[in-house]
Amino acid sequence: MTSHSASADLSTLTVHGWDDAWADAFAPYAAEGLLPGRVVRVDRGQCDVITADGPLRADTAFVTPEDPLRVVCTGDWVAVEPGGTPRYVRAYLPRRTAFVRSTSSKRSEGQILAANVDHAIVAVSLADEVDLGRIERFLALAWESGAAPVVVLSKADLVPDPVTLAHLVQDVETSAPGVPVLPVSAVGGEGVDVLRAVVGSGTSVLLGQSGAGKSTLANVLAGAEVMEVQATRDVDGKGRHTTTTRNLLLLPGGGVLIDTPGLRGVGLWDAGTGVGQVFSEIEELAERCRFHDCAHESEPGCAVREAIDSGDLPERRLDSYRKLLRENQRIVAKTDARARAEIRKESKRRGAVGREAMASKRRGLR
């Protein structure tokens, strides 16, 4: 680091996740006199960055490529100019993990929601019917990101019967193999200590639909009203968008938390590995099928169909697995097609430049 950075108090960075590995990755930028910092919020081409010298506002114009997956994102560690008006982010460090979904547009593009996340907290409100398919979709993206997912069944106080609550937890656990499922009530405090222990180290991101109670959970974990909270609509029980940007919060008990806006659409983005992780029991069963290309329909010796017939595997799980596989294959195909189209376009452009250069050379020889 430069002498300027060395003299600053690095404890601020440390509590936000800075470690020796990040310091090593930042070394080339330190040699240029740049400051390390973590992005806590991005808004309209600018971002709020926490540095050892304190918070600052910086412009992201130097790192705004055409690829939306390479823009500066909440959770990134960045190299910032030590002074100047305006200040600029010069680069971001290679991400350890990245939570990405496909955009709602018809263009085959991904959108990065959070970077360098250790835990992906999927919040599901018990104020409404639990959508297992949507949970599986969130978990596929979470596993693919490289973060460890956790499902939080929020507003558990709305299910006072312990037997009913236990059944709901069991249903979700069946759809989330290997994932902790925590019923939590921000009102009564049930499960909050367990959740606080999960997010007490590393970086966690809160994900879910509007009305899932994410901002309320963020306030409880932060121990203060750091996020605005709105009531759900009485007409249909749907939530309102309270959080409009992704915000990184420092938690008093340790760890940092990224709160995100409610997600209406949760499209997969090249999440084949994540889908396989969510439906690991189906993929394990498929390995025991007689035919390696078994479609799990009416083939003889199909271990998956046998598990469904015996009641060990719900038919709904297989249907959801097939749906997410098809969706992921479509987005991968679109992405590959887009990449091929861009390569062809660039090849044609270079060819045209080359032909023009050759023509100019010939004209000069005449």
Side-chain angles (χ1 to χ4, degrees):
M1 285 193 172
T2 64
S3 58
H4 173 78
S5 297
S7 63
D9 183 6
L10 291 180
S11 63
T12 300
L13 293 184
T14 301
V15 296
H16 282 85
W18 184 258
D19 56 28
D20 290 341
W22 287 123
D24 291 342
F26 190 80
Y29 301 107
E32 298 177 20
L34 299 175
L35 291 174
R38 192 163 198 192
V39 177
V40 299
R41 185 174 181 268
V42 179
D43 180 27
R44 299 178 183 178
Q46 293 191 318
C47 62
D48 295 326
V49 183
I50 188 72
T51 72
D53 292 343
L56 56 84
R57 185 81 166 165
D59 196 298
T60 64
F62 279 96
V63 278
T64 307
E66 292 183 4
D67 185 352
L69 296 182
R70 298 177 63 187
V71 300
V72 172
C73 177
T74 302
D76 272 329
W77 285 99
V78 295
V80 189
E81 293 175 341
T85 304
R87 294 194 191 210
Y88 287 96
V89 172
R90 289 292 177 173
Y92 64 82
L93 300 186
R95 293 160 176 155
R96 294 177 182 176
T97 62
F99 194 96
V100 180
R101 68 165 179 173
S102 65
T103 60
S104 57
S105 67
K106 294 183 179 180
R107 301 171 63 187
S108 52
E109 294 180 345
Q111 178 192 21
I112 181 166
L113 300 180
N116 303 312
V117 171
D118 301 293
H119 311 287
I121 312 297
V122 179
V124 181
S125 173
L126 292 180
D128 205 351
E129 183 177 355
V130 175
D131 187 339
L132 297 177
R134 178 171 287 272
I135 293 174
E136 290 162 346
R137 181 179 293 271
F138 268 109
L139 292 179
L141 292 175
W143 281 121
E144 192 70 32
S145 74
V150 177
V151 176
V152 168
L153 301 181
S154 64
K155 307 181 184 181
D157 51 287
L158 299 181
V159 187
D161 180 25
V163 175
T164 302
L165 182 60
H167 282 309
L168 288 171
V169 172
Q170 186 177 23
D171 286 345
V172 175
E173 287 176 339
T174 301
S175 301
V179 176
V181 179
L182 309 177
V184 175
S185 169
V187 175
E190 293 84 355
V192 171
D193 287 344
V194 179
L195 179 58
R196 189 173 283 120
V198 172
V199 302
S201 61
T203 300
S204 303
V205 60
L206 264 175
L207 304 155
Q209 288 182 286
S210 298
K214 299 186 303 301
S215 295
T216 300
L217 288 172
N219 287 338
V220 169
L221 293 171
E225 295 295 318
V226 293
M227 302 303 298
E228 182 184 354
V229 177
Q230 292 183 2
T232 54
R233 296 194 299 255
D234 294 332
V235 175
D236 54 11
K238 301 296 183 181
R240 298 169 178 171
H241 284 285
T242 301
T243 304
T244 57
T245 58
R246 289 173 282 279
N247 303 278
L248 189 147
L249 311 170
L250 184 63
L251 300 179
V256 292
L257 181 71
I258 299 175
D259 189 21
T260 65
L263 300 175
R264 289 192 179 94
V266 196
L268 299 186
W269 178 259
D270 197 5
T273 301
V275 172
Q277 187 77 28
V278 175
F279 299 94
S280 56
E281 83 278 29
I282 295 179
E283 298 208 336
E284 290 172 4
L285 286 168
E287 292 178 358
R288 303 207 300 264
C289 291
R290 182 182 301 178
F291 304 107
H292 73 277
D293 58 348
C294 183
H296 318 310
E297 292 177 348
S298 58
E299 297 89 343
C302 175
V304 175
R305 294 307 316 178
E306 290 174 1
I308 290 175
D309 293 340
S310 67
D312 293 333
L313 177 68
E315 182 87 42
R316 188 206 65 79
R317 284 280 286 171
L318 179 58
D319 291 342
S320 183
Y321 175 59
R322 285 170 169 161
K323 179 180 179 181
L324 293 186
L325 276 183
R326 287 193 300 268
E327 178 181 331
N328 194 65
Q329 289 166 354
R330 284 196 300 271
I331 193 65
V332 170
K334 284 183 180 179
T335 305
D336 290 346
R338 179 182 170 219
R340 288 194 297 269
E342 288 179 350
I343 291 172
R344 286 196 298 270
K345 181 179 178 181
E346 179 64 14
S347 179
K348 288 180 179 178
R349 186 191 68 80
R350 289 180 179 178
V353 171
R355 287 191 296 272
E356 177 61 28
M358 184 60 70
S360 297
K361 184 176 182 181
R362 290 197 188 101
R363 289 192 294 268
L365 292 174
R366 291 176 182 173

